[in-house]
Structure formats: C-alpha cells, structure tokens
Amino acid sequence: MSFSSDEVNFLVYRYLQESGFLHSAYVFGIESHISQSNINGALVPPAALLTILQKGLLYTEVEWSVGEDGEVARPIEGLSLIDAVMPEVKPPKPIVKTEPGKLGAVDSSAPAGANNNNSNAKPEIKIEPGTGAAGAGAGNKTGAGSTTGTSTPTDQNASEVDSSGNTANSTGATSYTGNNGAGGNQATPAGANNTSTPASGADAAATAAAQKKAQNSNEAGSSSGGSAGNANATSTDDAASSTSTNGNSSTSSSVEQPSSGVTPTGGAVSTSNPDSAAAGGASATAGAKAPSGAVTIRVGAQGNNVQAGSTTAQNSAPSGTISSSTGGGGGGGNAGAPAALVPMEIDESIEIPESKARVLRGHESEVFICAWNPSRDLLASGSGDSTARIWDMSDANTNSNQLVLRHCIQKGGAEVPSNKDVTSLDWNCDGSLLATGSYDGYARIWKTDGRLASTLGQHKGPIFALKWNKCGNYILSAGVDKTTIIWDASTGQCTQQFAFHSAPALDVDWQTNQAFASCSTDQRIHVCRLGVNEPIKTFKGHTNEVNAIKWCPQGQLLASCSDDMTLKIWSMNRDRCCHDLQAHSKEIYTIKWSPTGPGTNNPNTNLILASASFDSTVRLWDVERGSCIHTLTKHTEPVYSVAFSPDGKHLASGSFDKCVHIWSTQTGQLVHSYKGTGGIFEVCWNSKGTKVGASASDGSVFVLDLRKF
C-alpha cells in the first residue's frame, strides 16, 4: 500500500469544495499545488475523503476489538474519529512474539496506529523526462491543430477547429476534464511540492495565486518576502518625495518613510491575477508551494497574479495565508483598525437584472482572465482547464458561440492536454491575434478563428504575464524562471531575454514599443529596452513582493503595488518614488490608470489611478496631489480586479464576494451591481463601453449589458 501527499491534498481539496468552503479550497489548492498533480478529478467520486475515513474508522474498531487469537475480546462500538487517533484511548494489547525475520507486533506501549519500519520512508519524487524542476511544459512545440471542440450547454455552440482549419459544431461533444475535476486550481507555486509516488503520476513541474493572484522555489529560489522593517525600505530620497497615509499627503525631508509591510494576522496572500501575471514565487523554501491564495493565483492565476505565499514570517503572521476580510471598509492601514464594512444593500434601480446578463458556460475550472477584442465584440477567457476560449458576444449572435483553444504539449510523440492553467492573455492592437500564456511554460499566438499561429517556447516554467506592444510586432512575457522575454510576433522567435530579477517575475508593462518595466517577488522593478543588455533604470523601495505595475497613458509615470500594502508612483527622472501612498490595510493586488488626460481620447478629464486590495476596498487616487479621492467600500471580500470604462467615467470592480460593482469615478457612488455565482477574478470593458465581461472561480464567464441604464 502506498499513497502520496498529492493524493491526500487532492482529497482534502475536494472535501473543502464539496462542503462549501470555496475560498478555503481555493487557497489550499494553490498552496498544495493541486494543479501540478495528474489526478483526474472526474474519476474521483464525491465524498471520497469521508468514505475512506469511515472505512479506516471501521477497521480501527475491528482492530481494537479483536484479540490476537481472532476472538472478539473487547467489543468497541461508536468509536469517534478523534478517539481513533488518540493513543491513550486505545485499549492495551499483550505483546506478541514473532518468529525471527518477521515483522514484530506492536508493543502495548507503542502509540496506536504506529507504523512499521517503513513509517519514515519518504515519498518518491518523480520527474518526467524532458521536464525541468521549474515545471517547464515538456516537449516540442505544440502543433497547429491543438484547438479542438469541447462540450457546452445545449444553448451554446462550440466549434472544433482542426489543424486544417475545418470547423464543425460540437454541441454535445465530450470534452477533456482538467486535472482538478470540479473546479481546478490556479496554483502559482513558490516552490512546488511535486512529491508523489509513481502511482499518482504527478510531474515535478513547479508552479500559481491566483488567483487570483508564487512560484516554485526550486527554479526561482527563495524570494525575499520582507517584513515591515526591512532594511531595503529605508533610504535617502529626494526632498519632493511624499508619503500619503489614509489619503493625506505629507512631504518627506531626506529619509523615505518605510513602506508598511506589516501583514495582519491571517493577512491575505497575494494571488497573482491573470493580468498581473498570476502568482509569482513568493518567498519559500524548496518544496513549499502556494499559488493564488498565498501564492499569487493570479488567481491567477490576472492573469492571474496568483503567487505562491511567502513562507517568511511577517510579524508572526505568514504572508501565505489568505484572509477573507469582512472589515476594512476604507480605513487606512497605518491609522488603526479600519471601519467595519457595511453589508451592501442594492436597490432595484442599481441591481442589474438577469435579462441584462449573459452567463457563458463551458470552462471546466476557474477562469482567471478575460479580455475584449479591441475591434469586435469577441471576449477571450483563460482557465485552469488548460483552455482559452473566444466567445462571440455580438448582438447578432444570441447563442454565445465559443471557440475552444486547447493548450497541448508533445508527450510520447503525441499531442496531449498540458493540464496547466491559462492565466494570461492579450489581444494585439487590431484584434486579429490573441496571445496566451500558460503554466506549461509556453506562450501561444492564436487567430480569431481559433487556429494556432505560433508556439513560443523559451521560458523554463510558468508564464505569469504577457503583453503586446502598441505596434503589434512584439510580445513581452514574464515567468517563474526570473526572466522576461521579448518575442518577435511574426516569427515566434525570442528576440531578447532579460535575466535581471533574482526571483520570479510577476508582471510586465510596455512603456514604448521597445521599452518596458517588470516587477518581481524580489521587490525590485526594472526598466529595460530592446537591444540594451542592462536595465536602464531600477526602482527600489517596496518591502515585499511587487504584484503589478502599470505605466500611465503618457508613459511618464509608473505605478506599482505590493504585498507591503503600499502603492508607489515612480518617474524615470528620479531614483526614488514620487509618491508612497499608504492607505490600504492589506495587500494590494492590482492597479489601473484611467484612460484620461493629455494624449488620450479624454484629454480634458483628470488622470486618476485605481487600486484594488485584499482589504475589500478599492481606492481612487489623484496622483498629481498624492491623495485619495474616493474609497469604495461595498465589497466584502478581497478585490482582484478593476477596470475603467473607455471614457473614464465609470470603474468596474470584481471581488471574491461574487459581485461586480460599477462605480462613478466622479462621485464614488455605486451605480450598478451584479452578483454572479463564483468569486470574480477579472473584469473588463468592451471598446464601446457598453458591456462588462467578468470571469469567475466557478468556471463561469458572464457579460453585463449596460445599455439603457
């Protein structure tokens, strides 16, 4: 008899799901690297853990009741599970001598249930040929025919696209079930624990969030998850640098105020969101895994920033634990306990009716990321079921047709599903191509008809973020292997690889068509340029993992957010941050700039910045003044995504409380609200500003039609 830690973890994961502990299941799935096991969840029956526990309990009753001679000497009935594991409860048994060479009986003084001499045997670590410790998707490039049909509800149509481009409707086709069965995981491991027996078949690929939303310490090494007093936080800054606490700006003289890195007990782990590069490796020793929850899931798996949780203690509170916050309604992280959140009461004029929501079913696991095509009403989504999908949401199409982009790898001379999360995706400028990033280590370029155009293979491990430049000739990616890569989109070849980070790279963002910034769990931000072999600028100041970075529309200011609970604004003209905004009371998961100000389509509207945090709030900032304009407090769980409408007048936010809220950026008032069926990982607006798409932890994708509101 043998079993692996992967098998035990999977049964616990399923038990949590089936018992309704969805948030706990999500975090546990990330930290235990469920996504890296090859267990087919579809084959595991419901209540499997309870069934095996019941059988074990019955066996224990029999073992304790039956004497060595086979007679029932001490009848035991109604033995509880706790009694069965407590040695002092077990009735003593006489010592039984055995013949030489045979296993001896357990002495009456030995603890009940003590194992034989194999009890200390360690599980075997199985590494499949062709895979590295970092979990690179093994094998050769995926062939062009990796898009196939999958099952969808009868009211939706899925198209199968083969390598020749032939399309066939597959209304009732049976589709592949991901390794996570009911609700896969978004793991961004910080040191994937791939320990398993050969029977479990778990590969040693490291990866999570995730959501979202930390990755394998085997590949990335131990990342520095700093505490509040980290020496790196204190340094000389320009006199104009300011620190804002609770939205009040104050000028610092010569020493920058240390960023608040104190994580409250049970503080949320950053889940890499799909957009921010789903989890990057958090500080963890080799063998520890935690994506999404502790790990940043981007969940994301936001792209999905789901990263593995840091194992470095912060004020005695592990940074790798996710805390579902019911408080923190806008209170400052440095000014005492935040005010309790008021339960949201939505009047009928605000609540979006079901008639205005289209729910899209088809994914078989969490959906970490979604993005609208910039020129057509096509919505792309990426999931833990190792597929991306393109949904036709045009008004003329009432059936919500979907194209299934199956992510496969070469194994044993055949194409097989990678079984890895798709946690990042991005459309090119004209909407003709879709790029996806996966935990299998490959980036892929797809056409709008579902055909695979290119497979980009250079990363050694999960990809956390992926972005097209504005011209559409280059793709930028970041991975757990600590590197960022610029790809030639026309050839699919690596143009230049940048290896400047000392830990997994979590997010990237283009400044120009050839220059970009990257952030990492190493607390650093590097600005690099194509053709230059060293960073042209490095920003230091965060005291914990940097989850996301975004350049303002003009490309002059760079915003960054971190697990140290601060939001910082940087300029290429300065070595230190321009603003150190400290108001959130928990980790900040993602940030977005408004599409306003000089050089945008809305030049007469002031530029603002939105930040989303695990403290359940969203904050809007006046960056010029370094002050908080509005604190949006209606969510009751961590907020994983925010998105501005094209005109900048509204902000959509998505939280693990299953709600999507639409806010007025001018007044900070809640305008519309919709509650879905799963925790929200990503929200996005279409180019016309008439529809909001959202992706959720229960595998659903939905579109809200905001016209006529």
Side-chain angles (χ1 to χ4, degrees):
M1 179 188 74
S2 66
F3 58 87
S4 68
S5 60
D6 283 334
E7 293 170 321
V8 175
N9 289 339
F10 185 82
L11 292 181
V12 173
Y13 171 75
R14 284 289 291 271
Y15 165 76
L16 291 172
Q17 278 192 326
E18 294 163 357
S19 301
F21 302 111
L22 300 182
H23 200 157
S24 298
Y26 170 72
V27 176
F28 180 78
I30 291 175
E31 293 183 335
S32 60
H33 294 224
I34 294 295
S35 63
Q36 296 182 18
S37 70
N38 286 336
I39 300 172
N40 188 344
L43 302 179
V44 179
L49 179 61
L50 298 180
T51 300
I52 199 68
L53 287 175
Q54 287 176 332
K55 290 181 179 180
L57 196 56
L58 288 173
Y59 176 85
T60 302
E61 285 185 357
V62 173
E63 180 188 31
W64 289 9
S65 299
V66 178
E68 299 298 336
D69 56 359
E71 297 295 329
V72 179
R74 300 172 301 279
I76 296 178
E77 296 180 359
L79 183 67
S80 73
L81 195 59
I82 297 300
D83 287 343
V85 298
M86 296 176 65
E88 60 272 19
V89 175
K90 180 179 178 180
K93 281 189 178 182
I95 298 176
V96 178
K97 294 183 179 180
T98 59
E99 299 177 7
K102 293 187 179 181
L103 292 177
V106 179
D107 190 294
S108 61
S109 62
N115 294 328
N116 59 22
N117 59 342
N118 291 325
S119 62
N120 293 326
K122 295 182 179 179
E124 177 181 350
I125 297 177
K126 179 181 179 182
I127 300 179
E128 299 181 4
T131 62
N140 301 323
K141 292 184 178 180
T142 303
S146 64
T147 59
T148 57
T150 187
S151 66
T152 58
T154 55
D155 61 340
Q156 297 174 357
N157 298 321
S159 298
E160 294 186 4
V161 182
D162 58 24
S163 58
S164 62
N166 298 322
T167 303
N169 289 333
S170 173
T171 304
T174 300
S175 71
Y176 171 81
T177 300
N179 62 312
N180 295 324
N185 59 35
Q186 166 182 355
T188 306
N193 181 355
N194 291 313
T195 304
S196 63
T197 62
S200 72
D203 65 46
T207 60
Q211 171 19 54
K212 71 60 226 237
K213 81 255 255 166
Q215 216 47 358
N216 109 47
S217 63
N218 292 334
E219 177 65 23
S222 170
S223 77
S224 52
S227 61
N230 192 312
N232 292 331
T234 304
S235 60
T236 303
D237 194 4
D238 299 334
S241 176
S242 68
T243 298
S244 173
T245 303
N246 297 330
N248 298 320
S249 178
S250 62
T251 302
S252 64
S253 55
S254 60
V255 180
E256 179 188 8
Q257 295 297 323
S259 302
S260 173
V262 179
T263 301
T265 302
V269 182
S270 87
T271 298
S272 285
N273 71 30
D275 184 32
S276 71
S283 59
T285 56
K289 166 177 186 170
S292 157
V295 248
T296 291
I297 97 267
R298 190 140 52 63
V299 195
Q302 155 223 7
N304 51 41
N305 214 5
V306 194
Q307 21 189 148
S310 168
T311 59
T312 301
Q314 293 188 6
N315 293 336
S316 302
S319 68
T321 53
I322 290 186
S323 169
S324 299
S325 165
T326 57
N334 299 319
L341 290 178
V342 178
M344 183 179 63
E345 296 180 1
I346 306 173
D347 59 41
E348 294 181 357
S349 63
I350 292 179
E351 187 171 7
I352 298 175
E354 294 294 335
S355 61
K356 288 291 185 178
R358 294 173 68 178
V359 180
L360 311 174
R361 300 287 182 179
H363 281 297
E364 299 164 3
S365 184
E366 300 102 325
V367 186
F368 303 121
I369 183 71
C370 60
W372 287 98
N373 184 295
S375 58
R376 301 165 54 189
D377 267 355
L378 298 178
L379 181 65
S381 58
S383 167
D385 63 6
S386 75
T387 73
R389 296 172 193 241
I390 299 177
W391 310 82
D392 186 351
M393 299 306 300
S394 59
D395 294 335
N397 180 16
T398 59
N399 294 324
S400 304
N401 293 336
Q402 60 176 299
L403 290 173
V404 182
L405 315 181
R406 201 168 298 285
H407 289 57
C408 298
I409 59 174
Q410 292 287 336
K411 192 172 184 180
E415 275 190 0
V416 297
S418 69
N419 292 354
K420 299 297 181 181
D421 303 349
V422 178
T423 54
S424 55
L425 51 80
D426 194 32
W427 292 96
N428 67 345
C429 54
D430 62 6
S432 60
L433 296 172
L434 175 70
T436 61
S438 169
Y439 274 20
D440 65 9
Y442 291 98
R444 295 169 175 84
I445 302 176
W446 311 81
K447 297 185 178 180
T448 54
D449 60 4
R451 287 182 297 165
L452 181 64
S454 301
T455 300
L456 319 178
Q458 183 78 16
H459 279 293
K460 296 179 180 179
I463 295 174
F464 293 151
L466 177 141
K467 303 280 178 63
W468 289 87
N469 67 351
K470 292 181 180 178
C471 287
N473 59 330
Y474 291 125
I475 296 174
L476 175 63
S477 61
V480 72
D481 59 5
K482 315 174 194 176
T483 73
T484 55
I485 296 177
I486 292 180
W487 307 85
D488 186 322
S490 61
T491 65
Q493 298 300 309
C494 171
T495 301
Q496 186 172 352
Q497 187 167 17
F498 304 83
F500 305 133
H501 286 294
S502 59
L506 299 184
D507 197 15
V508 288
D509 198 39
W510 290 98
Q511 180 189 27
T512 66
N513 283 310
Q514 294 190 339
F516 68 92
S518 63
C519 66
S520 165
T521 63
D522 66 6
Q523 309 172 14
R524 302 290 187 265
I525 300 170
H526 294 308
V527 181
C528 303
R529 180 176 289 119
L530 182 64
V532 179
N533 295 326
E534 295 291 336
I536 59 177
K537 194 80 171 179
T538 295
F539 296 122
K540 303 176 184 179
H542 281 296
T543 59
N544 210 325
E545 303 167 13
V546 184
N547 294 323
I549 50 174
K550 294 289 183 296
W551 288 100
C552 72
Q554 297 77 30
Q556 297 175 353
L557 299 176
L558 179 68
S560 62
C561 64
S562 167
D563 277 4
D564 65 12
M565 302 181 286
T566 71
L567 172 65
K568 299 183 189 298
I569 309 298
W570 313 85
S571 169
M572 292 295 289
N573 298 324
R574 300 181 55 182
D575 292 333
R576 301 301 301 166
C577 62
C578 306
H579 294 293
D580 186 8
L581 308 177
Q582 302 179 24
H584 284 292
S585 60
K586 289 188 178 179
E587 293 89 331
I588 305 175
Y589 188 68
T590 190
I591 46 178
K592 290 288 175 62
W593 292 94
S594 62
T596 55
T600 69
N601 294 329
N602 311 290
N604 298 322
T605 305
N606 291 335
L607 177 67
I608 59 178
L609 181 67
S611 58
S613 170
F614 281 10
D615 66 9
S616 307
T617 71
V618 175
R619 287 178 176 267
L620 301 182
W621 303 86
D622 182 328
V623 176
E624 184 176 350
R625 293 185 302 165
S627 61
C628 181
I629 306 171
H630 299 295
T631 301
L632 315 179
T633 62
K634 296 295 185 181
H635 285 298
T636 59
E637 292 284 346
V639 183
Y640 283 92
S641 180
V642 288
F644 283 95
S645 60
D647 60 8
K649 294 181 179 179
H650 294 92
L651 179 80
S653 61
S655 164
F656 233 66
D657 61 9
K658 304 180 183 179
C659 291
V660 172
H661 293 331
I662 311 296
W663 313 82
S664 167
T665 56
Q666 294 178 332
T667 65
Q669 296 298 308
L670 182 64
V671 179
H672 305 300
S673 184
Y674 178 83
K675 186 167 186 177
T677 54
I680 308 300
F681 281 120
E682 185 74 14
V683 291
C684 55
W685 292 79
N686 68 345
S687 59
K688 298 178 182 178
T690 57
K691 299 175 183 178
V692 170
S695 59
S697 61
D698 66 344
S700 65
V701 178
F702 57 87
V703 174
L704 306 176
D705 189 342
L706 300 181
R707 290 172 293 184
K708 299 180 182 179
F709 270 93

